[in-house]
Amino acid sequence: MEPAALPLAPPRPERGDAARNRRHLLAMARLMIAEVGVEKVTMDGLAERAGLGKGTVFRRFGTRAGIFHALLDEDETAFQQSVLSGPPPLGPGAAPVARLIAFGRARIDFLFDHAAIARASLDTNQPIPVGVGTISQFHIRMLLNQTHVDVLDTDVLAVQLAAALEGPILLYLRTPTAADADHMRWRLADGWQILIERTCTPLVLDAG
């Protein structure tokens, strides 16, 4: 008989000083981004700005990309909280179609606002992650199931709709002016709403 598998131990909590250093470094990184832009934030510069040793920064983030990955992860967590428990229609309390539309519009805004940080978070020594489940895919699938949309496979449909939000066109978007970026953001958001309304039209007609 094989021995019973031992239960996994819970992860050790982060030490208080390590947690404070992390929060301080991320706050300083955000200040530097606001002042000089993403491109000019370096490991050495962050260490100097934060008043910490370079070894502390390297141990915390590993690489320059790790800084931006941590920033993106922090903002992603805040975005998810607004989806899970924020006010409707993005948060709970609205009809599923209205939530789908609100989610797509908010997600497009998030990706546009974080495009530079998202690009900087990619480690050139690592493959670009693709095919990984995201909050978009899981949330869209949940809302599609709530609408009882007339499709055979909401899993596949959720993947396809999520690709419209998480695709490389948003991550690698290049626009010459802020006005062009705003125009593209508006077009994509309106296109998302049309896509959702047409996808869910059979349900609306049956309900009427």
Side-chain angles (χ1 to χ4, degrees), residues 14 28 32 173 182 199:
E14 192 172 33
M28 291 301 101
M32 292 181 70
L173 188 66
D182 287 342
T199 299

Side-chain angles (χ1 to χ4, degrees), residues 61-119:
F61 301 116
T63 64
R64 179 179 181 274
I67 298 170
F68 300 101
H69 183 81
L71 290 170
L72 195 61
D73 185 64
E74 192 173 69
D75 290 347
E76 180 72 46
T77 298
F79 178 81
Q80 292 184 20
Q81 283 301 116
S82 67
V83 171
L84 295 174
S85 58
L90 182 59
V97 172
R99 291 196 71 192
L100 278 167
I101 293 170
F103 177 80
R105 287 185 172 274
R107 191 64 184 171
I108 288 169
D109 282 340
F110 180 90
L111 293 173
F112 267 80
D113 292 341
H114 291 80
I117 292 177
R119 285 194 295 269

Side-chain angles (χ1 to χ4, degrees), residues 10 16 21 29 31 33 35 39 54 76 112 116-117 130 139 148 151 158 160-161 163-164 166 178 181 193 198 200:
N21 283 343
L31 284 177
I33 291 171
E35 292 173 359
E39 297 78 9
K54 289 187 289 185
E76 180 72 46
F112 267 80
I117 292 177
V130 294
H139 188 63
H148 304 291
V151 297
Q160 293 170 324
L161 290 174
E166 306 287 353
Q193 178 166 344
R198 292 185 177 179
C200 298

Side-chain angles (χ1 to χ4, degrees), residues 32-33 35-43 45-46 64 68:
M32 292 181 70
I33 291 171
E35 292 173 359
V36 300
V38 168
E39 297 78 9
K40 294 185 179 180
V41 176
T42 64
M43 301 282 275
L46 178 57
R64 179 179 181 274
F68 300 101

Side-chain angles (χ1 to χ4, degrees), residues 54-66:
K54 289 187 289 185
T56 300
V57 180
F58 278 91
R59 283 193 299 272
R60 169 53 61 185
F61 301 116
T63 64
R64 179 179 181 274

Side-chain angles (χ1 to χ4, degrees), residues 1-8:
M1 177 182 297
E2 295 184 358
L6 294 175
L8 294 176

Side-chain angles (χ1 to χ4, degrees), residues 174-178 180:
R174 295 288 193 277
T175 50
T177 67
D180 290 335

